């Protein structure tokens, strides 16, 4: 399956470099280089800069997440790490993850594949602690319910997702099969009204189920 990628960045040189990189991957194609083309070009994923002059990446992400016609479109946000709070605002708005602009080419391609497959690009360690610190601030969570609606097992799964574990790691941690772990993650997303795993991370920290810096 070919991942249809849309690039949204106001720096022409950066955008063109990303376009060449994406087009070099046999399983990807660039279908546009503007946010407004997300619907007409039926992109699977938008690589979104945060700082853009006409429509900033956070608001653009929010508009995509709120559009039923774009329900399947994932957003991977770019950042230079100098706008930490904006990164978290983007996750609240519906982004599925973020990476830095000076990331290695292979890592960018892997990130696109990860997010397009429905995974959250949120690794444990300093990145998770950064997210946790800002998510505990006042803001409305982008979900329709809190963890109180979950079973004990689903709360365990939510906690592990928030700590950056993938389905295989969750399965090993809880003594489950990978398929069962995946089913628990899917049910948890459904109960919470979450678009993807990134929003599971958001609700886990904002609800206090996972504390900042927890290992």
């Amino acid at each position: 399956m070919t991942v249809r990628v849309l690039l949204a960045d106001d720096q022409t040189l950066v955008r063109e470099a990303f376009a060449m990189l994406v087009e070099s991957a046999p399983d990807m194609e660039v279908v546009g280089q503007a946010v407004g083309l997300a619907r007409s070009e039926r992109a699977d994923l938008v690589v979104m800069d945060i700082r853009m002059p006409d429509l900033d990446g956070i608001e653009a992400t929010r508009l995509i997440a709120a559009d039923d016609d774009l329900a399947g479109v994932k957003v991977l946000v770019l950042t230079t790490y100098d706008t930490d709070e904006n990164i978290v605002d983007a996750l609240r708005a519906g982004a599925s993850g973020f990476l830095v602009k000076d990331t290695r080419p292979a890592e960018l391609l892997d990130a696109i594949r990860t997010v397009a497959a429905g995974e959250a690009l949120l690794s444990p360690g300093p990145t998770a602690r950064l997210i946790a610190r800002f998510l505990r601030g006042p803001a409305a969570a982008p979900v329709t319910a809190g963890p109180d609606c979950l079973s004990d097992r689903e709360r365990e799964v939510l906690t592990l997702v928030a700590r950056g574990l993938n389905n295989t790691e969750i399965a090993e941690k809880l003594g489950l099969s990978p398929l069962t772990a995946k089913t628990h993650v899917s049910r948890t997303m459904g109960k919470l009204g979450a678009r993807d795993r990134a929003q599971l991370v958001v609700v886990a920290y904002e609800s206090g189920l996972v504390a900042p810096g927890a290992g």
Side-chain angles (χ1 to χ4, degrees):
M1 177 181 173
T2 300
V3 181
R4 295 170 59 82
V5 180
L6 189 147
L7 303 173
D9 193 301
D10 65 324
Q11 297 181 356
T12 303
L13 185 61
V14 172
R15 193 173 62 243
E16 291 296 336
F18 283 167
M20 292 177 62
L21 175 63
V22 172
E23 288 288 357
S24 73
D27 57 341
M28 301 178 196
E29 65 174 319
V30 175
V31 297
Q33 297 188 24
V35 174
L37 298 176
R39 179 183 288 103
S40 62
E41 298 299 334
R42 308 309 304 175
D44 299 311
L45 179 143
V46 179
V47 178
M48 183 85 73
D49 190 13
I50 287 182
R51 292 181 175 176
M52 295 186 290
D54 297 325
L55 181 65
D56 72 81
I58 295 172
E59 183 58 28
T61 298
R62 188 174 292 113
L63 292 174
I64 290 173
D67 192 327
D68 291 339
D69 291 336
L70 301 177
V73 179
K74 305 295 184 182
V75 175
L76 175 61
V77 171
L78 291 171
T79 177
T80 56
Y81 270 150
D82 62 345
T83 54
D84 295 343
E85 194 165 4
N86 284 343
I87 297 168
V88 176
D89 285 343
L91 293 177
R92 285 191 177 117
S96 296
F98 64 88
L99 47 76
V100 293
K101 279 192 175 181
D102 63 354
T103 188
R104 291 181 295 178
E107 291 175 345
L108 173 59
L109 296 180
D110 285 343
I112 290 173
R113 294 186 183 101
T114 297
V115 173
E119 298 289 328
L121 192 70
L122 303 170
S123 60
T127 295
R129 288 193 292 272
L130 163 68
I131 294 169
R133 186 167 68 251
F134 284 99
L135 285 178
R136 293 302 300 273
V143 291
T144 58
D148 288 346
C149 69
L150 304 178
S151 67
D152 289 342
R153 176 63 82 189
E154 289 164 347
R155 287 167 66 90
E156 286 181 304
V157 168
L158 176 59
T159 299
L160 296 176
V161 169
R163 290 175 178 165
L165 276 66
N166 60 34
N167 289 344
T168 300
E169 293 167 335
I170 291 172
E172 293 175 353
K173 190 79 171 178
L174 299 179
L176 307 172
S177 71
L179 179 59
T180 299
K182 181 178 180 180
T183 298
H184 281 307
V185 171
S186 297
R187 288 177 178 170
T188 301
M189 287 172 57
K191 287 185 177 182
L192 296 175
R195 283 169 56 95
D196 55 27
R197 295 170 77 101
Q199 289 196 344
L200 291 183
V201 175
V202 171
V203 72
Y205 280 115
E206 289 195 320
S207 68
L209 181 63
V210 176

